[in-house]
Amino acid sequence: MQLTGSNPVAREDPSLLECCCSAATVIPEMTSEQSEWCRPRSQRHRENRRGVAEQIVLMTWISGNRLFFLQFSFQQGGWGASLADMLVRKCDVLNRGFSGYNTRWAKIILPRLVRKGSGLDSPVAVTIFFGANDSALKDENPKQHVPLEEFVANLRSMVRYLRSVDVPEGRLILITPPPLCEATWAQECLQQGCKLNRLNSVVGEYARACLQVAQDCGADALDLWTLMQKDGQDFSSYLSDGLHLSPKGNEFVFSHLWPLIEKKVSSLPFLLPYWRDIAEARPELSLLGDGDH
């Protein structure tokens, strides 16, 4: 699916004009016997019987397409696909889509997504990417709207929970919502017979609040709202419909997010040997070890 222009499916369902959120999970490949690699990835992740020194869980809630963000972010041009490409042979990159979610709901489900004793070692990177839904105007979109004070409290609550499951602040990256192109988004709303339900100035308030939480908690932050508007540039090309990321917007997110993630994952080993290094006579000696090369 290409995120260029408006989503044709959205024209049949007004709810598709609501911003959506998703969670991405990045987990290193498990090193074990060859039979392990023949089983479904999800089963390997659940069991992780041998484990490795460190695991990565990258949970990202981001405005995106109404379809599960997994299905879009790994399409050509999606930032998830770019991330997976950079981490090939080091990490599995998974994505869990939660369309339309805000921090109020995400706070509730977070313990189901990251918890102690789940078979995963402590994550080395976690991102939290919210605000586009929370900042919806209360009068026009009361279901998704979350007051600014509660938004802040919810972010802090998620950070506290992650601390409780051994994810320290240094492994967190809080990402602000991108700016809103009001003119383009207003056209989308108009076609569905509703009023403009978001304002860029309001989104900015939530973005600044997100940055403050990151600063107070000692976490890294990525300020998309400011970066996309830097020096008064036209940021409309980063958005397909004024709200959701376009392919160019996905590239923008990846290019600024990757340096923050890279420093957290740079020490991860390259899993399993390069093919030229496999012992020809007895390949099992190379392939059934711990896989760290």
Side-chain angles (χ1 to χ4, degrees):
M1 176 176 181
Q2 298 293 328
L3 263 185
T4 56
S6 60
N7 180 3
V9 181
R11 306 200 181 284
E12 300 177 6
D13 184 353
S15 68
L16 300 191
L17 284 176
E18 299 175 349
C19 181
C20 71
C21 304
S22 61
T25 306
V26 181
I27 306 175
E29 301 275 6
M30 268 64 73
T31 59
S32 187
E33 299 180 357
Q34 288 176 319
S35 60
E36 288 285 291
W37 298 95
C38 298
R39 294 184 292 109
R41 278 184 154 189
S42 59
Q43 185 178 355
R44 296 204 308 266
H45 296 158
R46 285 196 301 272
E47 295 181 7
N48 189 22
R49 293 179 295 175
R50 298 187 58 178
V52 293
E54 288 184 300
Q55 295 277 358
I56 299 176
V57 176
L58 172 64
M59 307 193 57
T60 306
W61 289 268
I62 180 173
S63 61
N65 191 270
R66 170 72 176 187
L67 299 175
F68 277 126
F69 198 76
L70 170 63
Q71 296 176 349
F72 169 73
S73 68
F74 285 81
Q75 295 281 338
Q76 183 176 1
W79 69 266
S82 298
L83 184 61
D85 183 59
M86 292 298 293
L87 295 175
V88 67
R89 297 286 293 275
K90 284 192 173 185
C91 303
D92 285 333
V93 181
L94 310 178
N95 202 314
R96 299 292 182 261
F98 301 98
S99 63
Y101 275 46
N102 54 29
T103 57
R104 180 181 296 162
W105 304 330
K107 179 183 69 173
I108 297 172
I109 67 169
L110 182 57
R112 299 180 59 182
L113 303 174
V114 180
R115 55 189 173 184
K116 280 187 177 181
S118 63
L120 298 178
D121 292 332
S122 178
V124 298
V126 175
T127 73
I128 300 176
F129 194 167
F130 273 101
N133 291 330
D134 298 69
S135 61
L137 301 180
K138 181 179 181 179
D139 291 342
E140 302 300 332
N141 190 347
K143 187 176 183 68
Q144 290 182 304
H145 169 77
V146 172
L148 185 61
E149 296 78 9
E150 183 187 345
F151 172 72
V152 170
N154 291 340
L155 288 180
R156 294 185 186 278
S157 176
M158 285 190 277
V159 170
R160 285 194 300 271
Y161 173 76
L162 289 169
R163 287 174 181 164
S164 75
V165 293
D166 301 327
V167 183
E169 299 89 334
R171 300 182 183 184
L172 300 181
I173 304 171
L174 272 63
I175 309 175
T176 76
L180 176 77
C181 184
E182 294 180 14
T184 306
W185 184 242
Q187 294 177 7
E188 293 290 324
C189 293
L190 181 62
Q191 292 178 16
Q192 296 300 326
C194 61
K195 297 180 180 179
L196 179 65
N197 55 24
R198 289 170 171 82
L199 294 174
N200 191 38
S201 60
V202 175
V203 177
E205 295 176 4
Y206 284 71
R208 288 186 288 273
C210 176
L211 294 176
Q212 188 62 54
V213 171
Q215 180 178 336
D216 294 343
C217 295
D220 286 340
L222 175 56
D223 186 1
L224 290 181
W225 192 83
T226 297
L227 288 172
M228 285 187 173
Q229 301 180 90
K230 189 176 181 180
D231 299 325
Q233 65 176 308
D234 179 10
F235 61 87
S236 60
S237 62
Y238 297 134
L239 306 167
S240 65
D241 54 7
L243 174 64
H244 302 105
L245 293 172
S246 66
K248 185 176 180 180
N250 275 273
E251 293 176 4
F252 187 96
V253 171
F254 172 75
S255 66
H256 289 82
L257 179 60
W258 172 246
L260 297 176
I261 294 178
E262 184 179 25
K263 66 182 182 181
K264 302 181 188 302
V265 304
S266 59
S267 62
L268 289 177
F270 187 71
L271 299 177
L272 295 175
Y274 181 59
W275 70 272
R276 292 185 183 275
D277 297 328
I278 297 174
E280 184 176 353
R282 298 187 62 188
E284 64 273 10
L285 295 179
S286 301
L287 301 177
L288 298 183
D290 60 17
D292 294 345
H293 293 268

